[in-house]
Amino acid sequence: MSDDDDKPSYWQAFLWHRKNQLMVMGVTAASVLASFPFGADALVLGMLGLTALEMIGLAIVPGLPNFQLAVNERVRREQRDARRETLLREVHSHGGSNHLRSFEQMCSRVASLYRTASDRSTSLTTREVEQLDDLTLDYLRMCVSDAVLRNPQSNDLVSSVHRKLRAVDERLASGHLDQEEQTQLRRAKAEYEEALSRQARIASRRSALEATLVAMPIRLEEVYQMVMSAPRDGNLSQLLEESVSKLKLAEQAAMDIERPFDLAGIGSVAADREAAQAAARRAVGQRS
């Protein structure tokens, strides 16, 4: 999709803008009222005047840089809000995260910075605050990973793999297995061991994730205090850029955290193989 496809429709934004809607309703109401003493001609003239005003507005307003900037900000805000709601539902669907309170605190700080940026006397811009707002979404994505990793079902799956691995080892140690059965059991054992190895790597990533979830709100709090203590500082943009660059390191950590692997699926595959082995043994017994 091209950049032009991603741009909002500015003419639609103008038509549905609250001020334009009020103007349309006002002119329409005035024309209707004028039609009572002056007849239908007043209504027609009022509608023609409204049409002319709308055409002039469509020709000028959608192309104004300030109008486009305001529309772009609104669209980005709506997209962030929608993404935030989706991620919150995802966190709660996995049992929640202990770091949601920190996320709410970060959102509160960002909202305060938005209000500060609306003051013309400050050097802080709304676009700079939006970068921090985007980082709160990265933090919420990490909360999703945290909720998934804390899911008790993951521990149950690991315990199940351990039990099945012991069962495979016992069958291999029992002997009296033909070559095909030994090959299948060794393959199942290798898959179980690989699943446990991957789960151990996830545990390491979980430690890194926990550290980031604790550190990131503190960093954002530092940015907030820096801005609020000197909102008119001329070097504020440069300081914010440096701080945002440090905060964006957390985004890389969020991308590195993988969803726990589907150990249940591995277990079911091995179970299917065991069923096939049982069928093979029955077939051998029938031939003997």
Side-chain angles (χ1 to χ4, degrees):
M1 182 179 292
S2 65
D3 293 339
D4 292 337
D5 295 332
D6 293 334
K7 290 183 178 180
S9 176
Y10 297 118
W11 67 268
Q12 286 185 353
F14 166 75
L15 290 175
W16 291 103
H17 195 278
R18 183 176 61 87
K19 292 183 178 179
N20 184 62
Q21 292 291 303
L22 290 174
M23 187 270 292
V24 170
M25 290 187 292
V27 173
T28 302
S31 299
V32 171
L33 291 175
S35 67
F36 290 110
F38 300 108
D41 291 343
L43 179 61
V44 172
L45 288 174
M47 292 299 97
L48 289 175
L50 176 61
T51 302
L53 288 174
E54 289 293 284
M55 294 300 294
I56 294 172
L58 284 171
I60 298 176
V61 176
L64 296 176
N66 289 340
F67 180 79
Q68 293 184 359
L69 180 63
V71 172
N72 292 338
E73 289 180 355
R74 177 180 58 80
V75 171
R76 288 195 299 267
R77 181 176 65 253
E78 291 174 351
Q79 291 174 343
R80 278 194 300 272
D81 290 343
R83 184 58 179 157
R84 185 177 291 110
E85 291 298 323
T86 300
L87 289 171
L88 281 172
R89 286 196 298 269
E90 187 73 12
V91 171
H92 291 302
S93 69
H94 290 289
S97 170
N98 295 334
H99 299 280
L100 284 180
R101 186 180 297 275
S102 296
F103 167 74
E104 293 172 356
Q105 177 69 14
M106 293 171 69
C107 290
S108 175
R109 294 309 195 195
V110 169
S112 178
L113 290 174
Y114 272 124
R115 292 191 293 270
T116 302
S118 64
D119 185 356
R120 296 182 181 274
S121 63
T122 181
S123 61
L124 183 67
T125 66
T126 300
R127 193 69 188 100
E128 289 170 337
V129 181
E130 284 183 346
Q131 296 181 56
L132 297 175
D133 205 357
D134 289 337
L135 289 173
T136 65
L137 291 181
D138 293 334
Y139 188 85
L140 191 53
R141 292 188 188 97
M142 289 189 286
C143 287
V144 174
S145 297
D146 177 66
V148 172
L149 291 171
R150 290 179 181 275
N151 194 332
Q153 185 179 4
S154 300
N155 296 328
D156 294 339
L157 292 175
V158 173
S159 300
S160 175
V161 171
H162 277 293
R163 288 195 301 270
K164 292 179 180 180
L165 180 58
R166 287 195 298 269
V168 170
D169 287 334
E170 290 173 358
R171 292 185 60 188
L172 284 172
S174 65
H176 307 293
L177 299 173
D178 58 31
Q179 186 64 33
E180 181 181 358
E181 288 178 320
Q182 290 182 10
T183 300
Q184 290 178 337
L185 286 173
R186 288 194 181 99
R187 288 177 180 173
K189 178 180 179 179
E191 289 192 16
Y192 285 137
E193 290 175 342
E194 173 62 17
L196 293 175
S197 176
R198 294 168 76 186
Q199 187 64 22
R201 292 195 294 270
I202 289 177
S204 299
R205 291 191 178 99
R206 178 179 175 179
S207 298
L209 172 66
E210 182 70 21
T212 303
L213 285 169
V214 171
M216 192 171 174
I218 297 175
R219 292 171 183 161
L220 183 59
E221 182 67 22
E222 291 176 347
V223 173
Y224 174 77
Q225 296 298 336
M226 175 189 69
V227 173
M228 299 307 291
S229 61
R232 297 175 179 81
D233 194 334
N235 296 326
L236 189 57
S237 296
Q238 180 180 355
L239 294 174
L240 264 177
E241 183 178 355
E242 294 174 357
S243 299
V244 169
S245 297
K246 293 178 181 179
L247 283 168
K248 281 185 176 179
L249 294 175
E251 182 178 2
Q252 182 62 36
M255 295 175 61
D256 191 51
I257 301 299
E258 297 176 328
R259 190 182 185 91
F261 298 97
D262 188 3
L263 300 180
I266 297 175
S268 63
V269 170
D272 292 340
R273 288 181 176 175
E274 290 179 2
Q277 293 166 13
R281 286 195 296 273
R282 287 195 298 270
V284 170
Q286 292 174 358
R287 290 197 299 268
S288 60

